[in-house]
Amino acid sequence: MWLLKRYMPVFDWGRDYTRATLSNDLIAALIVTIMLIPQSLAYALLAGLPPEAGIYASIAPIILYALFGTSRALAVGPVAVVSLMTAATVGQVAEQGSMGYAAAALTLAFLSGGILLLMGLFRLGFLANFLSHPVIAGFITASGILIATSQLKHLLGVPGGGQTLIEMLAALAGQLNQINPVTLTVGLAATGFLFWARKGLKPALLKAGLPPRLAEIIARAGPVAAVLATTLATWALSLEAHGVAVVGSVPQALPPLTLPDLSPSLVSALFVPALLISVIGFVESISVAQTLAAKKRQRINPDQELVGLGAANLGAAFTGGYPVTGGFARSVVNFDAGAETPAAGAFTAVGLAIAAVALTPLIYFLPNATLAATIIVAVLGLVDFSMLKTSWSYNRADFAAVLATILLTLGFGVETGVMAGVLISIGLFLNRTSKPHIAEVGLVPGTQHFRNVLRHMVETSPRLLTIRIDESLYFANARYLEDYVLDRVLQRPELRDVVLMCSAVNEIDLSALESLEALNLRLSDLGVRLHLSEVKGPVTDRLARTNFLEELSGELFLAQFDAYKALTTPRAEA
């Protein structure tokens, strides 16, 4: 039973499921279902797939996540960034609209699911921490701009083209003479209404006297109103005959059983993009899940989240979908609507299944321009340039990383942007840890505390140098410490003792040990003793397995104050 609880959290929260919980989950599911119908269709369009693929990708994956996921509010399904990455990836191996394109999308979901599942089973959730938040913010901002730009062709009624921002803008500029005025009117009307619905509809409903909860539900259903209005207008006015592109026939059926194409050539072509999609999707999902869980003092297990998302993507691969993850907008709606358990997601899947069977004939005349407007309004909320201002004032290295990620994503496409983001994040980590913060410290008068000599009025001794190391020592930064200490010693010929204050050192690897051994020998040749203070127990234990402590020219002090007192007495200085 313990094993079932660990890998299937449903056996944990399901034991306490009550009638009140059921009521709250059903209400949340109704609201999210209303929101997801147009959103799923729109994101399938963004991914270059038939509209029904968006609904299919929102049924089995949600149910599987409800069984294996740990978040009680996360809503899994197609999201804007992953849909864009799917289109960019699959478009390189198959022509949009072909059977090969749909099969490649299934394969991408399968690979992504397998990668996530293996990462979860091997507890590799910590790897997502190597993507810095500024880099992720820059990538999502650039992706929002790319997504919005890619949908302008549907608003204008032109073919469009291109993968990067420059290519798409150049294609649109060359097709301005082909703009369909009727399509443009429909698109602008839908876009304007949706922008107003996000901010102005709820206040207007409250002013009209509606209860807050009902006003919230109606406001969330704004995209549905846009879909209904433009679909009826297109049908009544025969706008399709005037060049307005519509969704057309959508299969009236439950998700089919499908098999991904596992041919070696396709798998090898999609593996790296699938890995990138997995990482980006997991980072987005875990960020949303942890934020919402914190509001109710709940905990999220990152490794089990990987299992849940992996199962969801495998479900998408075998039911006609494409890669999915936890979406920010739908999860916030799910949370605000009162969802208490993942069962709300399962009920949402049931609602979408009913829609797939009963409502798809009603969207034949749904304009693509309306779906494009839905995408544009949704993704522009992802665009946040404030990170540039914040990072510029706080840390110029982070600013450079954010700016580089944005420019590379816009200039060279999503896949390049993701890979650049990963490399920049790793580069930032290596840069920061390869040059650890090192401070010369002295005794604060009247205390036993030691502080930076450049920041505080402290007592020092001309014959003693105390260096505080604020980072673990490993192969990338050990030489930096060695060079720093030797430079300081050579500048002060009167020095007789050097103390390395190791209160912040959690680990010393073999390369760093060899560097300390070399430093000990160099200082001995100069007539200077090397001491260590405040070394943590596990680090001391590891050093004790070697001959370093026996060969150390100085001593190992429990506290820095003990070292200072011992080394500044007349006898120590004699």
Side-chain angles (χ1 to χ4, degrees):
M1 189 64 181
W2 173 83
L3 195 63
L4 284 176
K5 282 185 183 180
R6 176 179 171 184
Y7 288 108
M8 296 186 71
V10 63
F11 286 100
D12 183 18
W13 56 262
R15 292 182 309 164
D16 304 321
Y17 205 77
T18 64
R19 184 172 297 179
T21 304
L22 173 63
S23 175
N24 291 333
D25 283 347
L26 285 172
I27 293 173
L30 175 63
I31 295 172
V32 175
T33 301
I34 293 172
M35 171 189 174
L36 284 189
I37 292 173
Q39 193 180 79
S40 298
L41 297 171
Y43 288 155
L45 179 71
L46 175 60
L49 293 163
E52 64 269 16
I55 295 180
Y56 296 162
S58 300
I59 298 177
I62 295 179
I63 295 174
L64 288 167
Y65 179 82
L67 294 175
F68 295 99
T70 60
S71 172
R72 301 197 176 194
L74 191 71
V76 172
V79 300
V81 173
V82 171
S83 297
L84 177 65
M85 295 176 70
T86 298
T89 299
V90 178
Q92 296 177 4
V93 297
E95 184 179 352
Q96 186 171 325
S98 65
M99 290 295 292
Y101 190 96
L106 296 175
T107 304
L108 193 62
F110 178 82
L111 292 174
S112 180
I115 291 169
L116 288 165
L117 190 60
L118 287 175
M119 289 176 67
L121 294 176
F122 287 99
R123 301 188 178 186
L124 300 179
F126 69 91
L127 293 177
N129 297 331
F130 286 95
L131 274 176
S132 71
H133 174 70
V135 167
I136 288 293
F139 170 73
I140 290 178
T141 291
S143 297
I145 295 172
L146 284 178
I147 292 168
T149 305
S150 71
Q151 297 307 298
L152 291 178
K153 62 184 181 183
H154 297 295
L155 290 187
L156 302 175
V158 298
Q163 296 291 330
T164 67
L165 182 64
I166 295 175
E167 291 173 352
M168 287 188 286
L169 291 177
L172 292 174
Q175 298 166 4
L176 292 178
N177 60 337
Q178 303 176 38
I179 292 177
N180 185 306
V182 181
T183 300
L184 180 60
T185 301
V186 172
L188 291 179
T191 304
F193 171 77
L194 290 172
F195 271 118
W196 174 77
R198 286 174 69 95
K199 300 292 184 181
L201 182 55
K202 183 178 178 180
L205 294 173
L206 292 174
K207 190 175 180 180
L210 269 69
R213 187 69 180 271
L214 181 58
E216 178 73 20
I217 294 174
I218 295 175
R220 296 291 187 186
V224 177
V227 166
L228 290 175
T230 54
T231 301
L232 287 173
T234 303
W235 169 73
L237 302 176
S238 301
L239 298 184
E240 187 180 8
H242 296 278
V244 175
V246 298
V247 168
S249 298
V250 175
Q252 189 176 357
L254 291 172
L257 291 177
T258 54
L259 289 175
D261 181 357
L262 299 181
S263 60
S265 59
L266 184 61
V267 169
S268 62
L270 296 180
F271 182 80
V272 172
L275 177 62
L276 297 176
I277 287 174
S278 301
V279 173
I280 291 295
F282 173 63
V283 170
E284 179 178 354
S285 179
I286 198 69
S287 299
V288 176
Q290 289 177 336
T291 299
L292 297 179
K295 294 182 178 182
K296 289 190 175 182
R297 297 190 177 184
Q298 297 168 350
R299 290 183 59 83
I300 298 298
N301 183 336
D303 295 322
Q304 186 59 33
E305 283 298 288
L306 284 166
V307 173
L309 292 174
N313 277 279
L314 290 176
F318 290 103
T319 56
Y322 65 98
V324 298
T325 192
F328 176 76
R330 70 184 66 184
S331 298
V332 171
V333 171
N334 197 37
F335 180 86
D336 290 343
E340 293 193 28
T341 72
F347 297 143
T348 299
V350 173
L352 290 171
I354 294 172
V357 172
L359 302 181
T360 49
L362 303 179
I363 63 173
Y364 180 95
F365 290 102
L366 172 59
N368 287 342
T370 302
L371 295 179
T374 302
I375 293 173
I376 290 172
V377 174
V379 301
L380 286 182
L382 303 175
V383 178
D384 179 16
F385 287 110
S386 65
M387 180 58 71
L388 287 172
K389 180 181 178 181
T390 302
S391 59
W392 174 262
S393 60
Y394 187 76
N395 188 307
R396 299 295 169 84
D398 282 334
F399 169 80
V402 175
L403 184 61
T405 304
I406 291 175
L407 294 178
L408 287 170
T409 303
L410 293 177
F412 296 95
V414 175
E415 187 172 330
T416 301
V418 176
M419 296 184 69
V422 172
L423 294 176
I424 290 171
S425 295
I426 296 173
L428 284 174
F429 170 77
L430 292 176
N431 179 64
R432 287 168 181 161
T433 57
S434 66
K435 297 179 180 179
H437 182 263
I438 298 173
E440 181 180 346
V441 298
L443 179 65
V444 178
T447 73
Q448 295 185 11
H449 301 294
F450 289 79
R451 293 292 184 267
N452 194 326
V453 298
L454 301 178
R455 294 177 178 271
H456 301 271
M457 296 296 294
V458 294
E459 296 177 2
T460 60
S461 169
R463 300 168 64 86
L464 173 65
L465 173 66
T466 297
I467 302 295
R468 189 188 70 218
I469 308 166
D470 294 332
E471 186 78 53
S472 291
L473 296 176
Y474 73 117
F475 63 90
N477 63 17
R479 186 60 183 269
Y480 179 83
L481 172 66
E482 183 182 347
D483 293 341
Y484 179 90
V485 173
L486 290 173
D487 286 344
R488 296 291 290 135
V489 170
L490 294 176
Q491 291 171 15
R492 295 170 55 179
E494 72 280 7
L495 278 175
R496 290 296 174 264
D497 293 282
V498 172
V499 180
L500 298 182
M501 186 175 173
C502 302
S503 53
V505 177
N506 295 316
E507 186 174 0
I508 298 176
D509 76 355
L510 186 59
S511 297
L513 173 63
E514 292 175 352
S515 187
L516 288 176
E517 291 173 338
L519 179 62
N520 183 50
L521 291 174
R522 293 284 301 276
L523 291 179
S524 296
D525 292 341
L526 295 172
V528 178
R529 294 180 296 178
L530 176 65
H531 311 268
L532 304 180
S533 74
E534 302 190 5
V535 183
K536 294 184 176 180
V539 178
T540 304
D541 293 342
R542 182 165 291 184
L543 292 177
R545 299 175 198 162
T546 71
N547 296 325
F548 175 71
L549 295 180
E550 298 173 5
E551 298 173 355
L552 187 65
S553 59
E555 299 180 46
L556 185 67
F557 292 97
L558 182 64
Q560 176 58 32
F561 183 73
D562 296 339
Y564 183 83
K565 191 167 56 172
L567 299 174
T568 55
T569 59
R571 194 176 70 148
E573 296 183 354

